[in-house]
Amino acid sequence: MKKHSRLFTSIASALALTASVSAWSDEQDFSSMQMQGIEKVEVQVDLEGAAQRLSQAVKFQTISNQDRSDFDEAAFHDYHQFLEDSYPLVHKTLKREKVGDPRPFSLIYTWEGKNPSLPPAIFMAHQDVVPIAEESRDQWEVEPFSGDIKDGYIWGRGSLDDKNQIHAILEATEMKLKEGFQPERTILFVFGHDEEVGGPEGAKHAADILEQRYDEIAFVMDESAPLIPGVFPGIRENTALIGIAQKGFVSLEIAINGMGGHSSQPAEESNIVALAKAVEKVEAAQFPYKIHDAVRYQYRFMGPELPEAQQPMYKAVAYGNDDTVTDLEQKFFEVMEQNQVTRAMLHTTTAVTMFNAGVKDNVLPPAATAVVNFRPMPGDTPEVIIEHVKKAIGDKRMTIRDISASTPATNVADPHGEGYKMLEKTIRQTWGNDLIVSPFFVIGGSDSKHFQARDFAPDVYTMTAIQLESVKEFEGFHGVNERILVEEYGRSIGFFYQLMDNLNNL
């Protein structure tokens, strides 16, 4: 929370600029854009049975390792069989396909609608989980793949990211099928198997298939931020953030190949030192800040909910001009750069993630490699980033190659569209009106980026439909002691149950 207090101090200092800056127009409306008066809906679920099924799902170690040769096919086969056994009506009624190239472990479910002329909707989630760092095992209160239910929580890797969303969707569907429900429009479920390594085998392949089948997708929902109180600086209330755009993904390998030798006869500069200098130059050459359209939308919704004294700066951001940067927008940069999450919203980020060189303490390695991961803003293509890196390094000994399933920054979904309104309504029907709902710019990414970067799926929204108790609870996401509240998992099921009804009005 110290970072947040520094943010508040900087925000206060920005107020001195307000009187002298008039770049934003007083004519622009900056009143609340929150829905009002939505009646809460209680959905009765078999919470004990649902919790037990998710508990069992966590036990399947469907891990995505960085080394793709290290892949446990049996874990995915067994998990697929478990899904079939657990949701008999789903598998009797919906068509299930196993897709992926070269490994077909992603799932596409097709729930035929009454009106086949309507563009379909897609619900997404992913089966795979990140591995457990061996050095962190003694920090877990339970075995990471135990699926233990204790103290009111379901524990284990995948309980939050992202099997809870798979199972909430399937639980809701099973309930609907028991009631004889059939949606108006076709609903597709896309459950990828390699999201944690970018989704090149699974979701990308699924997007290729569905783009051939459908001219248009009306609505896509995938995972992202859960509901968390106090998640954003300046807002203490419970917040539901709906992702409307995602940054891209590029990983570059920087390598040097030269003479090795014996450590007793070192050259003036070893390959390791040369590479380290190159990487240091890349990290120093940060991309400039700019305000993405999704960030402007975010503050049109979120800004009016902030304390009144802070609103001039956020209004300047919300209605700014991309061709100029006002003094208030510059102050916004200064405020946001103090926090690593908010800073990442403002530019293409540079992260050195891997360094590999040497096999023995008395041998000079003939080669050394490093991997730098970038999360690009729009316009920063892999080609642009490679040229940026070459210019920063200025050393022709270094070779640079794209080693990732690179994806560009995505299109921006409409925060005023019917899909967004439907999501906000369903959120308020499930969790009530005492929260703030806002679009936001996703600094990471999910499998839905393979849809959102294409024109046939213009409205892709991301959120994880689970309420967390606090920001600290979010530390389990890729961390230790991943868990969700059993009671809140029941609300997640209710959310998808209600969303399936609301889709009829899309």
Side-chain angles (χ1 to χ4, degrees):
M1 295 305 290
K2 291 181 179 178
K3 288 182 180 177
H4 288 183
S5 65
R6 290 201 300 271
L7 281 168
F8 301 146
T9 301
S10 295
I11 289 169
S13 70
L15 301 179
L17 294 170
T18 306
S20 61
V21 177
S22 58
W24 49 269
S25 171
D26 287 329
E27 297 178 2
Q28 295 285 5
D29 181 34
F30 206 56
S31 58
S32 178
M33 300 178 73
Q34 302 294 298
M35 278 187 180
Q36 302 293 326
I38 302 300
E39 186 175 346
K40 196 171 181 181
V41 176
E42 295 293 338
V43 178
Q44 298 299 317
V45 304
D46 173 18
L47 188 53
E48 182 178 353
Q52 288 294 336
R53 284 183 284 273
L54 180 56
S55 167
Q56 290 297 315
V58 169
K59 296 179 180 180
F60 296 96
Q61 298 189 31
T62 51
I63 297 170
S64 274
N65 292 297
Q66 192 66 36
D67 178 2
R68 300 307 291 153
S69 65
D70 184 5
F71 186 86
D72 187 352
E73 293 191 3
F76 284 89
H77 280 304
D78 292 346
Y79 180 51
H80 292 172
Q81 186 60 53
F82 171 73
L83 293 178
E84 192 170 341
D85 295 340
S86 299
Y87 305 102
L89 288 179
V90 169
H91 290 83
K92 178 182 178 182
T93 310
L94 279 63
K95 175 185 175 184
R96 185 175 84 170
E97 301 168 83
K98 297 182 181 182
V99 304
D101 184 16
R103 283 177 283 226
F105 291 100
S106 289
L107 302 174
I108 299 176
Y109 289 84
T110 301
W111 192 359
E112 293 290 350
K114 296 176 184 177
N115 188 347
S117 67
L118 293 174
I122 298 178
F123 297 163
M124 300 184 69
H126 62 89
Q127 307 166 57
D128 59 321
V129 300
V130 295
I132 306 296
E134 286 304 318
E135 60 270 23
S136 74
R137 281 188 176 268
D138 62 353
Q139 300 172 37
W140 282 78
E141 294 182 33
V142 302
E143 281 297 311
F145 290 99
S146 66
D148 281 0
I149 299 177
K150 71 169 191 172
D151 303 328
Y153 297 92
I154 304 167
W155 298 71
R157 180 63 85 227
S159 58
L160 173 59
D161 182 26
D162 181 39
K163 286 177 178 171
N164 67 301
Q165 193 122 308
I166 289 178
H167 285 263
I169 291 168
L170 294 177
E171 292 284 346
T173 306
E174 191 80 1
M175 290 168 61
K176 286 290 190 185
L177 290 171
K178 285 180 181 177
E179 297 167 3
F181 175 86
Q182 183 183 7
E184 285 296 320
R185 70 179 69 243
T186 295
I187 301 177
L188 306 166
F189 306 151
V190 177
F191 300 150
H193 73 273
D194 61 338
E195 189 273 347
E196 298 293 1
V197 290
E201 291 184 15
K204 180 183 181 300
H205 191 62
D208 291 341
I209 292 171
L210 295 178
E211 190 173 26
Q212 294 298 314
R213 293 180 185 173
Y214 301 101
D215 294 330
E216 181 186 357
I217 301 296
F219 171 86
V220 180
M221 179 188 165
D222 195 8
E223 55 138 2
S224 187
L227 283 74
I228 312 177
V231 68
F232 222 83
I235 294 180
R236 294 182 176 87
E237 292 92 338
N238 193 26
T239 306
L241 298 173
I242 300 174
I244 59 170
Q246 303 177 48
K247 295 176 85 173
F249 186 99
V250 175
S251 284
L252 301 182
E253 180 192 76
I254 304 171
I256 182 171
N257 290 276
M259 295 296 292
H262 199 283
S263 64
S264 63
Q265 304 175 52
E268 288 186 11
E269 182 182 69
S270 71
N271 290 328
I272 291 176
V273 171
L275 180 63
K277 289 178 179 178
V279 168
E280 188 175 30
K281 290 176 181 177
V282 172
E283 191 167 70
Q286 293 290 320
F287 283 81
Y289 291 152
K290 53 187 175 183
I291 301 176
H292 189 280
D293 284 347
V295 175
R296 296 198 190 280
Y297 281 129
Q298 180 172 324
Y299 283 96
R300 288 177 199 173
F301 282 75
M302 191 179 288
E305 311 311 317
L306 290 160
E308 187 174 352
Q310 301 169 10
Q311 291 183 13
M313 180 174 66
Y314 292 123
K315 185 175 182 181
V317 171
Y319 294 104
N321 187 326
D322 290 349
D323 296 329
T324 59
V325 177
T326 67
D327 289 347
L328 280 176
E329 287 176 305
Q330 185 59 45
K331 194 62 186 181
F332 175 75
F333 290 154
E334 294 170 11
V335 170
M336 299 287 274
E337 70 181 356
Q338 296 179 40
N339 178 285
Q340 65 187 31
V341 174
T342 52
R343 181 171 63 243
M345 293 167 56
L346 301 178
H347 68 150
T348 293
T349 54
T350 303
V352 182
T353 54
M354 299 174 72
F355 205 102
N356 186 31
V359 293
K360 198 172 186 295
D361 61 355
N362 65 347
V363 176
L364 294 169
T369 62
V371 174
V372 186
N373 179 250
F374 300 86
R375 298 303 177 98
M377 297 282 271
D380 291 338
T381 63
E383 293 75 21
V384 167
I385 293 172
I386 288 172
E387 285 305 311
H388 173 90
V389 170
K390 285 181 178 178
K391 183 178 179 180
I393 293 174
D395 187 340
K396 293 184 178 179
R397 294 177 296 171
M398 303 294 160
T399 61
I400 301 164
R401 67 187 183 100
D402 187 349
I403 61 168
S404 59
S406 297
T407 54
T410 69
N411 298 319
V412 182
D414 184 2
H416 300 291
E418 293 304 315
Y420 182 94
K421 293 175 185 176
M422 178 182 65
L423 268 181
E424 180 173 359
K425 178 182 178 181
T426 312
I427 289 166
R428 295 186 182 282
Q429 286 176 320
T430 306
W431 288 283
N433 290 301
D434 190 21
L435 48 70
I436 293 170
V437 180
S438 173
F440 86 119
F441 184 29
V442 181
I443 61 174
S446 67
D447 270 345
S448 61
K449 64 181 178 284
H450 295 289
F451 289 83
Q452 194 165 10
R454 311 182 193 205
D455 292 337
F456 88 120
D459 288 325
V460 175
Y461 303 99
T462 62
M463 65 169 286
T464 296
I466 186 77
Q467 174 73 62
L468 300 190
E469 294 176 283
S470 65
V471 174
K472 183 174 177 56
E473 202 71 33
F474 194 55
E475 294 174 3
F477 192 96
H478 287 200
V480 300
N481 293 320
E482 184 175 346
R483 66 185 190 180
I484 61 171
L485 282 164
V486 172
E487 183 178 352
E488 289 301 333
Y489 177 51
R491 290 193 179 91
S492 296
I493 297 167
F495 169 86
F496 283 105
Y497 180 96
Q498 190 63 35
L499 185 60
M500 290 168 187
D501 281 339
N502 292 343
L503 269 176
N504 289 343
N505 300 317
L506 182 62

